[in-house]
Amino acid sequence: MKKITLYFLSLLLLSSIYSCLDDKNDYNYSQINGLKGDASQMMPSVYSVGVNEDLEIKPKFEFTVDKAEMDLSYEWLLDGKLLDVKTPEYIFNSSKGGLFELTFSVKDNKTGVKYSASANISVRSPYQRGWVILSEVNGESALSFIKMKTLYGVTETVDVFGDPVVRDSVVFRGVEKYVVKNLGTNPKGIMEHLGFPSTFGQLETVYDELVVMQDRWVELNGNTLEHEVYTDEEFGGDLPEGGFKPVDASMSFSAKFVRDENGYIYMHMKPYANDFHAGVYMSIPLWNKTEFSALYPAQKFRSTYQDAVLACRKKDNSLVIIRDGGAVDYNETSPALTLNSISDTGNVLELMGDNASKFQNMGDKSIVSLLPATINKSDWKQAWVALMKAPDSNLYELRYFRIDGDNTTVEDYYENKAGNFGGQSYTDMAVFNHKKFAIIATGNKLWYWQYADATWNSFTLLPSTSPILLKEFSNDIVSVSSNDIYIYAGYGVYNGQLGVALDDGTFWIYEVIEGKKDASGKVVKPTVKQVYPNEETNKEGDNNFGKIVDTLYKIGNAKQITRYDL
């Protein structure tokens, strides 16, 4: 009986299966209308925008079926709060700085399935990043500011592998002439002091400040460009004997060093990495009143092997190191500089190694300019580019070198000799850290001078190169400065940007396009492309800033040295 029952049930099951197969057209099995690709890719995960600046966000999405008659709805959440926006695009604008989380969702109303993507929006001060121009107006110092904006996903280009990509673009929109006036008299130059690139839990951290060098130096808040302090006030009332008239400075990670007209260097030790004004300058000069003929800019990004500030000792025309040892704990929970790390800060040390002699007892050969250069990301050791010449010669040398912070050894020394600038005298120099070349201004000409082969995964010093004439102007050049954009190679190729001020009061920004290289890695024929003034900025008035004294690209955040945040 059991066998008969089992046999009957088996026949019934087979009949049921056959019936389902045979009647397949009697039922409507809808294919699920899914989203093509990953939902998280509907929009970038990170945006950067200035205060009160519109950011238009248009997520990209496509469904697999039912394209003609889709019934969709949309929602946007800002920091978890539902916005009154029902469209597939949204214009974000914030009147304050900080970090915001934006979430976009698209819902297929036929199936009830919803797909979402989120992005972090970093809102920075309008003056955190951009080009600063120092002018003299009726004998007074005045600052102008050229703002920059990121346009997302607008430019077709290729990455370093030659594959096509759609990348974001950096454009210049917004010019504020003389946004800060009457800072003081007799302007000489501007420099940026970058602090520690961590917020320590603060949303509106001041990452940097701007120093205006004039009769009485003044230091400005990096977010607002408002007056913070006069440099001489940071002696706490205990000014050096005979007064204090600063000439140049090197403001590093944990200390500030200022050289006065007597050649003495004074040190200000910061107790906190993110506080520019805690502590005071010592009124006693470094190293028993040793006289120095120059003090050079410090590497602006801090790591274990970046603790050297360079100065030139006057008596023997030798380059020496002033130690900058301060560091915070690795966990970065506190901005306090650890006591054991600052113990040797301010010590003056000699260069060591086989190539140290290149910068010791240099006789009548002078360092015309010395600027921080390419960081080798495998070991993070400091590097510099030095332009040198003898007083009665029209021939220049371009030297590249690195220093091991542990033992002050000069490493990877490289020298380009016999550079000739057509008999014109030197005006200014800008170094492109990641692209590994320098731009030198002489008279009315710009010169491109390469010192290494810039490839995406290596650092290769070149056989001797010569300056290449890049551009000639109808007026003499006053100042040059650089913004060397570095982004992961997969996002496409970004050219470095060069700011050029002329003695007719105009200011120009160019992309430096290196173009083809020969088999050794040398650039053959670099060119430039103007990106400022442009159609948008021309609507805001003429391109004239009066008597320009100096310019710089304001980085705003030390992290921008090693990775550019669009």
Side-chain angles (χ1 to χ4, degrees):
M1 186 65 182
K2 289 182 179 179
K3 290 183 178 180
I4 294 173
T5 302
L6 184 60
Y7 179 75
F8 176 79
L9 291 173
S10 297
L11 285 176
L12 187 63
L13 179 61
L14 287 172
S15 176
S16 176
I17 293 172
Y18 178 81
S19 177
C20 288
L21 293 173
D22 187 59
D23 295 336
K24 62 183 179 181
N25 292 326
D26 294 338
Y27 299 91
N28 182 19
Y29 293 98
S30 297
Q31 184 178 351
I32 295 176
N33 192 16
L35 192 70
K36 282 188 176 180
D38 191 286
S40 64
Q41 297 175 345
M42 289 193 292
M43 61 183 183
S45 60
V46 176
Y47 290 94
S48 179
V49 66
V51 168
N52 293 325
E53 185 177 287
D54 285 346
L55 173 63
E56 188 175 10
I57 302 175
K58 294 183 177 180
K60 295 180 180 181
F61 53 88
E62 184 178 354
F63 286 85
T64 54
V65 295
D66 201 17
K67 297 179 182 179
E69 300 180 4
M70 288 189 294
D71 180 14
L72 304 176
S73 58
Y74 314 97
E75 70 176 26
W76 295 85
L77 286 84
L78 184 62
D79 287 342
K81 296 181 180 179
L82 184 65
L83 299 174
D84 186 21
V85 180
K86 308 297 183 183
T87 58
E89 59 275 331
Y90 170 61
I91 297 178
F92 172 89
N93 188 301
S94 176
S95 60
K96 65 177 184 178
L99 186 66
F100 299 84
E101 183 183 43
L102 183 70
T103 301
F104 167 75
S105 298
V106 54
K107 180 181 178 181
D108 182 351
N109 294 324
K110 291 183 178 180
T111 63
V113 178
K114 183 166 68 173
Y115 303 92
S116 301
S118 294
N120 288 323
I121 303 177
S122 174
V123 182
R124 63 180 184 271
S125 156
Y127 305 117
Q128 185 180 344
R129 199 165 71 191
W131 297 85
V132 184
I133 301 169
L134 174 65
S135 303
E136 183 176 330
V137 180
N138 299 323
E140 298 277 344
S141 303
L143 292 177
S144 300
F145 199 88
I146 298 175
K147 298 176 183 177
M148 52 203 310
K149 179 180 176 63
T150 301
L151 299 181
Y152 290 91
V154 297
T155 303
E156 296 286 343
T157 184
V158 296
D159 59 20
V160 292
F161 308 102
D163 298 324
V165 295
V166 177
R167 72 158 171 83
D168 308 323
S169 290
V170 177
V171 299
F172 299 98
R173 294 184 176 180
V175 182
E176 295 190 30
K177 288 187 179 180
Y178 311 144
V179 62
V180 185
K181 295 185 290 186
N182 302 324
L183 290 166
T185 57
N186 196 19
K188 299 286 199 314
I190 42 178
M191 63 174 290
E192 184 181 21
H193 183 194
L194 287 173
F196 191 63
S198 174
T199 62
F200 297 107
Q202 304 166 63
L203 286 179
E204 297 187 44
T205 298
V206 180
Y207 288 112
D208 71 324
E209 62 178 16
L210 206 61
V211 182
V212 180
M213 296 176 281
Q214 52 186 3
D215 284 339
R216 189 182 188 192
W217 284 21
V218 62
E219 302 178 24
L220 309 178
N221 182 295
N223 287 347
T224 64
L225 301 185
E226 295 175 331
H227 179 123
E228 290 269 337
V229 68
Y230 288 109
T231 300
D232 58 55
E233 292 177 330
E234 296 207 300
F235 281 86
D238 184 21
L239 284 171
E241 184 179 348
F244 173 69
K245 294 183 178 180
V247 176
D248 50 29
S250 183
M251 297 189 173
S252 60
F253 176 79
S254 64
K256 300 194 286 189
F257 302 93
V258 178
R259 185 178 71 93
D260 73 359
E261 63 180 11
N262 297 315
Y264 299 148
I265 293 178
Y266 301 90
M267 182 180 72
H268 175 298
M269 173 61 70
K270 298 192 301 183
Y272 302 102
N274 65 343
D275 191 329
F276 296 102
H277 305 297
V280 295
Y281 280 99
M282 294 187 297
S283 60
I284 301 174
L286 285 182
W287 218 24
N288 195 25
K289 292 189 175 182
T290 296
E291 294 182 16
F292 296 88
S293 57
L295 179 62
Y296 301 105
Q299 192 69 266
K300 294 184 176 70
F301 188 82
R302 178 71 166 90
S303 80
T304 306
Y305 299 106
Q306 295 175 21
D307 56 4
V309 173
L310 297 184
C312 188
R313 187 169 52 212
K314 186 175 180 178
K315 70 174 183 179
D316 57 0
N317 197 21
S318 293
L319 209 58
V320 296
I321 289 175
I322 302 174
R323 182 69 81 193
D324 171 31
V328 297
D329 288 331
Y330 286 108
N331 59 19
E332 300 180 9
T333 57
S334 169
L337 299 169
T338 59
L339 291 177
N340 63 323
S341 69
I342 64 175
S343 59
D344 63 348
T345 296
N347 288 346
V348 179
L349 307 174
E350 304 291 337
L351 298 180
M352 304 295 289
D354 295 339
N355 289 309
S357 60
K358 301 289 185 179
F359 298 101
Q360 294 170 334
N361 299 298
M362 292 181 287
D364 63 351
K365 186 164 289 188
S366 62
I367 298 175
V368 179
S369 180
L370 190 148
L371 295 173
T374 303
I375 300 171
N376 184 338
K377 296 179 181 62
S378 64
D379 56 23
W380 298 93
K381 294 177 183 177
Q382 287 173 284
W384 287 269
V385 166
L387 182 68
M388 308 190 65
K389 72 179 291 289
D392 299 324
S393 172
N394 287 325
L395 299 181
Y396 290 77
E397 298 175 4
L398 190 70
R399 298 179 178 183
Y400 168 86
F401 64 100
R402 298 199 303 153
I403 289 180
D404 185 328
D406 283 343
N407 56 30
T408 72
T409 300
V410 177
E411 299 180 346
D412 297 331
Y413 177 79
Y414 168 75
E415 184 175 310
N416 271 326
K417 292 184 177 180
N420 191 303
F421 299 126
Q424 291 188 330
S425 59
Y426 167 86
T427 299
D428 202 3
M429 181 171 78
V431 172
F432 287 72
N433 297 303
H434 301 293
K435 307 298 188 301
K436 305 175 180 67
F437 64 83
I439 298 294
I440 297 159
T442 64
N444 65 336
K445 295 181 174 65
L446 291 174
W447 303 84
Y448 169 98
W449 209 349
Q450 187 182 14
Y451 61 84
D453 181 16
T455 57
W456 73 278
N457 64 347
S458 66
F459 179 86
T460 307
L461 291 172
L462 292 170
S464 184
T465 63
S466 299
I468 300 174
L469 181 61
L470 186 64
K471 185 174 176 61
E472 187 171 356
F473 296 90
S474 56
N475 289 81
D476 283 347
I477 300 166
V478 173
S479 171
V480 293
S481 49
S482 62
N483 173 25
D484 195 10
I485 300 173
Y486 174 77
I487 300 177
Y488 172 63
Y491 289 109
V493 177
Y494 288 78
N495 297 312
Q497 296 177 339
L498 176 72
V500 184
L502 303 180
D503 66 1
D504 64 353
T506 60
F507 179 72
W508 310 82
I509 304 174
Y510 300 93
E511 286 187 3
V512 181
I513 305 168
E514 294 187 275
K516 294 183 179 180
K517 299 180 180 180
D518 64 18
S520 70
K522 289 183 183 179
V523 171
V524 178
K525 191 176 181 180
T527 57
V528 294
K529 176 185 176 183
Q530 181 181 320
V531 294
Y532 172 86
N534 54 51
E535 185 176 350
E536 290 295 323
T537 60
N538 284 336
K539 298 174 184 177
E540 302 182 34
D542 60 24
N543 177 34
N544 194 291
F545 297 86
K547 183 181 178 182
I548 299 177
V549 176
D550 197 11
T551 66
L552 65 77
Y553 173 73
K554 187 173 180 291
I555 297 168
N557 186 334
K559 284 185 176 178
Q560 301 294 322
I561 296 288
T562 56
R563 179 68 178 271
Y564 196 88
D565 177 15
L566 285 167

